[in-house]
Amino acid sequence: VNRRVLARDFGEGQAAANRPLFLHQLVAEILPQLPDVDARLREGVEVAEFGCGEGWASIGLALGYPDSVIDGVDIDEPSIVAARRHAAAHGVSDRVTFSDAGTAALGRGYDAVFAFECIHDLPDPVAALAELRRIAKLGAAVVVMDERTQAEATGKLLWNDFTDRYSAASADAGPVYRNARLQRTMFV
């Protein structure tokens, strides 16, 4: 089996599996569990989605929070191309942009930063969390929603490693929410 074909099929399958969650439940059920984040998004803010894949969470955010602007970034160019196509089909490409993470110039200044279902795939999740903090405005929320992991162990280890390595970064931004959908474990 050609690895490139297999990887593309896997990526498309994962995006299709997550699409209903991101287009429907994310805004209707999940984010309202974080009332301060939900209220901010309803006001209309600048949002970054790290590891956006084919863009379904960014599109769901744009549909549910029409006054917000979303920048999605990912390392997979075919996913970025698909995300742009999906955004156009859903009529939100005027408020959602997708960029290759390797070339995106993400500065500090987002009101909310999200990472949905991607941190567990990264070779250095702690560095990724630091990047999420770096691009967030002072006081911005950083929301990490990931696979159903053993939050007691994984979350504490990851968070302790993050705060040990990046204590200055953790002090100058707002709360980090982990597993918002599965378990309300708040990193402060």
Side-chain angles (χ1 to χ4, degrees):
V1 175
N2 182 314
R3 281 187 162 177
R4 202 171 285 166
V5 171
L6 181 62
R8 187 75 253 133
D9 286 349
F10 179 78
E12 290 172 359
Q14 185 168 8
N18 284 328
R19 184 179 57 231
L21 169 73
F22 292 144
L23 288 183
H24 306 292
Q25 293 172 286
L26 181 62
V27 172
E29 299 172 23
I30 298 167
L31 292 177
Q33 294 179 46
L34 304 171
D36 53 333
V37 174
D38 184 57
R40 242 185 252 184
L41 292 167
R42 290 190 189 290
E43 292 171 5
V45 294
E46 292 184 34
V47 176
E49 185 199 355
F50 182 86
C52 67
E54 290 197 10
W56 294 117
S58 291
I59 293 165
L61 290 169
L63 291 169
Y65 303 105
D67 293 327
S68 289
V69 176
I70 296 97
D71 292 333
V73 296
D74 201 284
I75 60 169
D76 183 52
E77 185 60 32
S79 291
I80 294 298
V81 170
R84 290 176 181 146
R85 188 176 63 250
H86 300 319
H90 281 78
V92 296
S93 55
D94 60 326
R95 295 179 288 114
V96 180
T97 61
F98 295 103
S99 305
D100 183 302
T103 60
L106 297 175
R108 184 181 178 96
Y110 288 98
D111 300 292
V113 179
F114 293 94
F116 297 111
E117 305 291 340
C118 67
I119 297 296
H120 69 276
D121 289 325
L122 302 176
D124 189 352
V126 172
L129 290 174
E131 179 63 9
L132 298 180
R133 281 289 199 195
R134 185 192 70 75
I135 65 174
K137 278 184 184 175
L138 183 65
V142 176
V143 178
V144 176
M145 188 176 90
D146 215 313
E147 301 294 325
R148 184 185 298 267
T149 59
Q150 293 181 0
E152 293 296 318
T154 308
K156 286 179 183 173
L157 289 172
L158 186 60
W159 183 248
N160 289 340
D161 192 18
F162 175 70
T163 55
D164 288 349
R165 287 169 61 183
Y166 301 99
S167 59
S170 66
D172 71 356
V176 173
Y177 298 93
R178 182 178 178 279
N179 282 348
R181 169 175 59 129
L182 306 171
Q183 177 174 329
R184 287 199 62 205
T185 301
M186 186 168 136
F187 294 154
V188 183

